[in-house]
């Protein structure tokens, strides 16, 4: 028997309400045996807005911690020695800004940059495809990404400056082959840019390659996921050796962290999510030669709302039982020599190579984003997956099969089964921001922002100007605002117009089409359905699938993509003369944003246009929304999109007295 392996880094993805509240949560989790931090930032921080920006309304502190300035970072890591901590930050568009804040806060603690260990996600390509927290156009975003990589290789050498993130590709519908190919195509785009940019001398390029890490998704098909990770290892080794000439085998090693699949967690019978999470964890831990370096697990109740500290503890204990009670870490790779595993790995490798070649022939990952190819491919794959669930071909226990259940003590009180958002978080953040701005030197701020503006005009690495901004007291929104001014804004392709809809369910689709056509005739024109994404929630997968299915059943669909204000959605409803507005929100900001849309429609004289809502909406909130005039609320348990479309037609008919 060989020496026992060290366990992977164990994290929980955490952050909410305020820096002080999140700091208390971090310290409790570390005391429970967590061995690293994984910081969740709120959407304004992720997209580069201060809490007082119009788009931040309702989003502050909802899906993570708000960070507007250096004072917030000091509070966030208070009494946590950053020189000894491994910190992962899920941050992309503003990754340079957050690393600069982290570095300065660490230096104030007495740490030196070369002591810092951790990861900035910093993978902007998948933001255009799945999460939607981009801020700038692709080329400018890639400049920020590569500037950060070049800076860390020299100045923060133990830091992983980028986490190529296939996790959200799977969430957006990617097959294992697409997840492999699109993630590796992103890695190629980034490494080519660094290699050709001239900031890193050729003899140091191996240092760049070995600091590249990945962040992957593990679904419940854990044998296939095991094979996917073994394929990842093989493909990455090939790319590093053949494309970049890396001769050191250690530098070619695939280094990845994982969060197992939140997409597959169900609102129905949520206790089943526990065994799903365990199986998904096995897919990235069983194979020693393809084992994750860091694991964070979701909680059983994430499809219901924000997990409580106890729920996160349960997920941490799952990791600890596997690592410390089982004999997993005592053996060499248990799959070596398996002809079944080897055949599946070879199939995935071959499929991924073909897809990588296709993307490269288009000009690489960035060109494939801008053309809409990658997004359309994901939307189409997701539509096929949903169709398999709706037809029953893909069984989801408790959702489309084995639906009878005993009452669950875990969900007897649904309002108490999740963490409620702090209603005072936004007001506290606004007050903190006001105090911060009043306490700083305005001339130092102006000078720092001017230096950033000048650096952005040229080709200098932007990190030094960013560090100057941090030390001068610049805010997240101010830093991003200068770069928006210099680089412009961007709206990514939605992938809806070119996507293939359902391939089956002909009778059900035909029945709803008939209903849509009859209602349209009675109302004297084609039925028009506006799908809206208010606020900063960029998780557009659900909205895209609703838009595709609405089009399939005969609606004229208006879908303008993510990040709209309630006023913009109302204006679109007026301009397009729509019959129904569907709002999709997964960030928890529904209670603030939905009533604004309803009120705006009434003020515009469209009180007869019904509003329906979809997202992670707790029961109590759903009741409140309906009392406020919302016609229907759909949550993850409502997986039958065709049935949902039939219901939307009924909503329209009732609104018009038909």
């Amino acid at each position: 028997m060989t020496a026992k392996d060290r366990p992977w880094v164990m994290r929980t993805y955490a952050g909410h309400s305020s820096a002080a509240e999140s700091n208390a949560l971090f310290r409790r989790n570390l005391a429970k045996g967590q061995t690293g931090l994984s910081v969740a930032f709120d959407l304004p921080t992720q997209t580069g807005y201060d809490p007082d920006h119009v788009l931040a309304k309702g989003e502050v502190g909802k899906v993570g911690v708000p960070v507007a300035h250096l004072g917030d970072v000091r509070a966030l890591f208070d009494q946590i020695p950053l020189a000894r901590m491994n910190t992962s930050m899920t941050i992309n568009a503003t990754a340079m800004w957050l690393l600069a804040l982290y570095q300065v806060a660490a230096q104030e603690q007495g740490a030196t940059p070369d002591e810092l260990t951790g990861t900035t996600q910093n993978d902007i390509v998948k933001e255009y495809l799945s999460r939607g927290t981009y801020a700038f156009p692709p080329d400018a975003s890639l400049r920020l990404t590569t500037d950060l990589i070049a800076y860390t290789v020299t100045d923060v050498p133990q830091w992983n400056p980028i986490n190529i993130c296939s996790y959200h590709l799977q969430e957006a519908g990617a097959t294992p082959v697409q997840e492999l190919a699109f993630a590796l195509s992103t890695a190629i785009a980034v490494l080519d840019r660094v290699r050709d940019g001239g900031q890193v001398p050729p003899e140091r390029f191996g240092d760049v390659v070995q600091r590249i890490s990945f962040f992957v998704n593990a679904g419940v098909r854990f044998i296939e996921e095991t094979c996917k990770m073994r394929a990842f290892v093989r493909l990455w080794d090939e790319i590093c050796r053949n494309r970049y000439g890396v001769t050191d085998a250690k530098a070619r090693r695939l280094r990845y962290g994982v969060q197992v699949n939140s997409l597959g967690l169900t609102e129905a019978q949520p206790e089943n999510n526990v065994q799903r999470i365990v199986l998904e964890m096995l897919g990235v831990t069983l194979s020693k030669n393809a084992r994750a370096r860091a694991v964070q697990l979701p909680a059983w109740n994430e499809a219901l709302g924000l997990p409580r500290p106890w729920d996160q503890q349960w997920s941490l204990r799952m990791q600890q039982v596997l690592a410390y009670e089982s004999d997993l870490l005592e053996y060499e790779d248990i799959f070596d020599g398996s002809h079944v595993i080897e055949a599946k790995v070879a199939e995935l490798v071959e499929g991924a190579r073909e897809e990588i070649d296709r993307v490269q022939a288009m000009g690489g990952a960035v060109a494939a984003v801008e053309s809409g190819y990658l997004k359309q491919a994901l939307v189409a794959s997701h539509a096929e997956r949903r169709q398999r669930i709706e037809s029953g071909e893909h069984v989801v226990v408790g959702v489309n099969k084995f639906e009878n259940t005993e009452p669950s003590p875990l969900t007897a009180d649904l309002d108490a089964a999740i963490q409620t958002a702090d209603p005072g978080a936004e007001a506290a953040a606004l007050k903190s921001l006001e105090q911060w701005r009043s306490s700083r030197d305005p001339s130092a701020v102006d000078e720092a922002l001017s230096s950033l503006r000048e650096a952005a005009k040229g080709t200098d690495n932007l990190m030094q100007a960013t560090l100057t901004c941090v030390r001068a007291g610049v805010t997240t929104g101010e830093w991003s605002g200068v770069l928006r001014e210099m680089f412009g804004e961007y709206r990514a392709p939605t992938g809806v117009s070119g996507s293939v809809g359902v391939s089956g369910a002909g009778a059900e689709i035909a029945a709803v089409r008939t209903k849509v056509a009859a209602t349209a005739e009675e109302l004297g024109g084609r039925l028009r359905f506006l799908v809206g994404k208010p606020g900063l929630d960029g998780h557009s997968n659900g909205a895209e699938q609703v838009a595709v299915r609405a089009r399939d059943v005969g609606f004229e669909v208006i879908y303008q993509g993510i990040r709209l204000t309630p006023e913009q959605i109302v204006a679109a409803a007026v301009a397009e003369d729509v019959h129904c507005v569907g709002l999709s929100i997964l960030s928890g900001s529904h209670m603030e944003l939905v009533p604004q849309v309803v009120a705006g429609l009434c003020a515009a004289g469209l009180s007869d246009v019904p509003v329906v809502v979809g997202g992670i909406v707790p029961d109590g909130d759903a009741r409140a929304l309906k009392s406020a005039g919302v016609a229907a609320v759909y949550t993850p348990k409502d997986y039958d999109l065709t049935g949902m479309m039939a219901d939307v037609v009924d909503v329209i008919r009732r609104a018009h007295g038909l």
Side-chain angles (χ1 to χ4, degrees):
M1 186 179 293
T2 59
K4 193 170 183 177
D5 269 5
R6 284 194 309 170
W8 50 90
V9 176
M10 298 183 191
R11 297 179 171 128
T12 50
Y13 182 49
H16 67 94
S17 304
S18 70
E21 288 288 329
S22 298
N23 172 262
L25 177 61
F26 290 169
R27 288 193 282 121
R28 287 200 304 272
N29 286 346
L30 290 168
K32 292 171 183 173
Q34 183 176 303
T35 53
L37 294 177
S38 180
V39 184
F41 298 99
D42 72 355
L43 289 173
T45 304
Q46 291 188 52
T47 50
Y49 294 109
D50 285 334
D52 58 352
H53 192 278
V54 61
L55 277 169
K57 181 67 177 171
E59 305 281 16
V60 178
K62 280 290 197 315
V63 301
V65 58
V67 172
H69 47 72
L70 180 59
D72 287 336
V73 179
R74 289 170 181 154
L76 184 61
F77 297 108
D78 182 44
Q79 300 178 61
I80 297 173
L82 297 184
R84 301 199 303 273
M85 183 53 56
N86 190 304
T87 305
S88 171
M89 295 190 275
T90 300
I91 198 73
N92 296 282
T94 55
M96 178 180 286
W97 177 245
L98 266 298
L99 180 59
L101 287 167
Y102 187 87
Q103 178 183 320
V104 172
Q107 288 176 304
E108 289 180 347
Q109 290 184 358
T112 57
D114 61 358
E115 291 180 295
L116 302 181
T117 60
T119 304
T120 33
Q121 195 166 96
N122 197 27
D123 171 9
I124 200 65
V125 172
K126 63 93 177 51
E127 295 303 316
Y128 302 118
L129 302 176
S130 51
R131 283 183 81 244
T133 68
Y134 55 82
F136 317 112
D139 188 68
S141 295
L142 209 53
R143 174 184 174 183
L144 288 167
T145 297
T146 53
D147 277 3
L148 181 56
I149 292 169
Y151 171 77
T152 55
V153 165
T154 302
D155 291 76
V156 198
Q158 295 191 80
W159 194 264
N160 299 324
I162 187 169
N163 213 206
I164 306 291
C165 188
S166 71
Y167 175 85
H168 299 96
L169 300 180
Q170 188 180 123
E171 296 269 283
T175 64
V177 163
Q178 289 173 327
E179 188 178 343
L180 287 164
F182 295 173
L184 290 169
S185 294
T186 297
I188 289 169
V190 169
L191 285 173
D192 282 1
R193 180 82 170 236
V194 174
R195 180 193 60 193
D196 301 338
Q199 293 194 63
V200 178
E203 64 272 16
R204 295 292 308 274
F205 194 69
D207 296 337
V208 173
V209 172
Q210 69 178 350
R211 296 317 309 174
I212 302 293
S213 63
F214 291 80
F215 187 69
V216 307
N217 202 331
V220 76
R221 292 168 57 84
F222 74 98
I223 300 298
E224 184 174 59
E225 295 295 331
T226 297
C227 294
K228 180 187 78 182
M229 294 320 306
R230 288 171 72 95
F232 232 136
V233 168
R234 186 176 303 178
L235 287 162
W236 181 240
D237 186 79
E238 282 180 10
I239 290 168
C240 293
R241 186 178 61 249
N242 298 339
R243 189 179 184 94
Y244 300 113
V246 179
T247 56
D248 181 356
K250 184 178 178 182
R252 299 196 306 263
R253 188 181 301 162
L254 182 82
R255 300 158 60 255
Y256 78 96
V258 64
Q259 160 132 342
V260 307
N261 188 6
S262 296
L263 175 70
L265 303 184
T266 63
E267 180 185 10
Q269 298 180 30
E271 63 276 8
N272 295 335
N273 293 331
V274 174
Q275 50 265 36
R276 290 186 180 108
I277 291 167
V278 171
L279 289 171
E280 290 162 354
M281 175 173 58
L282 293 179
V284 291
T285 53
L286 285 180
S287 177
K288 178 179 178 180
N289 295 336
R291 184 171 292 149
R293 297 291 190 89
V295 177
Q296 58 192 49
L297 303 180
W300 68 277
N301 56 349
E302 280 196 17
L304 305 177
L306 187 67
R308 301 158 298 187
W310 183 85
D311 306 312
Q312 292 190 330
Q313 175 184 299
W314 191 359
S315 289
L316 175 62
R317 296 292 185 248
M318 292 177 200
Q319 294 197 60
Q320 291 168 329
V321 168
L322 178 63
Y324 298 112
E325 291 192 32
S326 86
D327 58 351
L328 172 67
L329 299 179
E330 297 172 13
Y331 295 93
E332 290 302 315
D333 198 301
I334 61 176
F335 295 110
D336 283 352
S338 166
H339 65 275
V340 173
I341 294 291
E342 189 52 40
K344 184 63 177 176
V345 170
E347 175 192 322
L348 292 172
V349 166
E350 183 181 357
R353 282 190 190 127
E354 290 177 3
E355 188 62 47
I356 291 169
D357 289 345
R358 186 175 296 116
V359 172
Q360 291 306 111
M362 294 176 182
V366 172
V369 166
E370 292 173 331
S371 71
Y373 168 74
L374 294 183
K375 185 64 172 177
Q376 287 178 17
L378 293 175
V379 172
S381 292
H382 201 175
E384 290 173 15
R385 176 186 175 275
R386 289 202 62 95
Q387 174 56 27
R388 290 195 299 273
I389 293 173
E390 290 181 42
S391 68
E393 177 188 348
H394 180 106
V395 172
V396 182
V397 174
V399 173
N400 63 1
K401 196 164 187 173
F402 313 118
E403 296 159 72
N404 292 341
T405 179
E406 296 294 327
S408 169
L410 288 175
T411 55
D413 182 356
L414 277 174
D415 291 333
I418 55 173
Q419 177 102 2
T420 55
D422 179 0
E426 187 166 323
L430 291 170
K431 183 178 179 181
S432 167
L433 180 64
E434 184 181 354
Q435 290 172 340
W436 180 262
R437 285 176 178 156
S438 66
S439 66
R440 62 191 185 173
D441 178 355
S443 61
V445 170
D446 291 343
E447 187 175 331
L449 291 173
S450 293
S451 297
L452 178 65
R453 189 175 288 107
E454 287 304 309
K457 285 179 184 177
T459 59
D460 289 352
N461 190 303
L462 291 169
M463 191 66 183
Q464 290 301 336
T466 296
L467 286 163
T468 300
C469 286
V470 168
R471 295 185 176 109
V474 166
T475 67
T476 298
E478 290 165 345
W479 178 84
S480 301
V482 165
L483 296 185
R484 280 188 167 93
E485 173 192 327
M486 302 308 299
F487 298 148
E489 302 230 24
Y490 183 73
R491 294 197 72 77
T494 67
V496 168
S497 60
S499 295
V500 178
V502 294
S503 55
E508 293 86 349
I509 291 286
V512 181
R513 278 192 187 130
T514 299
K515 194 172 182 178
V516 168
T519 304
E521 188 173 340
E522 289 180 71
L523 292 175
R526 194 173 177 194
L527 287 193
R528 289 176 297 282
F529 184 35
L530 173 63
V531 177
K533 287 283 298 173
L536 294 174
D537 169 33
H539 285 87
S540 57
N541 306 328
E544 289 152 6
Q545 294 307 309
V546 167
V548 170
R549 187 59 53 86
R551 186 192 63 200
D552 291 339
V553 300
F555 278 99
E556 180 181 334
V557 177
I558 297 94
Y559 175 56
Q560 299 171 319
I562 63 170
R563 213 177 298 172
L564 299 169
T565 64
E567 292 77 13
Q568 288 171 319
I569 290 171
V570 170
V574 172
E576 301 288 348
D577 192 21
V578 301
H579 295 93
C580 184
V581 174
L583 303 177
S584 171
I585 303 176
L586 284 86
S587 65
S589 59
H590 46 267
M591 293 306 295
E592 291 85 0
L593 297 175
V594 172
Q596 290 182 48
V597 174
V598 173
L601 290 170
C602 290
L606 298 182
S607 55
D608 60 338
V609 174
V611 174
V612 299
V613 176
I616 308 292
V617 182
D619 277 1
D621 288 358
R623 291 191 296 270
L625 289 174
K626 288 176 181 176
S627 297
V630 170
V633 177
Y634 306 101
T635 62
K637 70 178 183 299
D638 301 303
Y639 68 93
D640 179 4
L641 284 180
T642 305
M644 189 187 300
M645 290 301 102
D647 190 48
V648 168
V649 181
D650 289 338
V651 165
I652 292 170
R653 294 184 66 85
R654 285 195 297 272
H656 288 272
L658 300 180

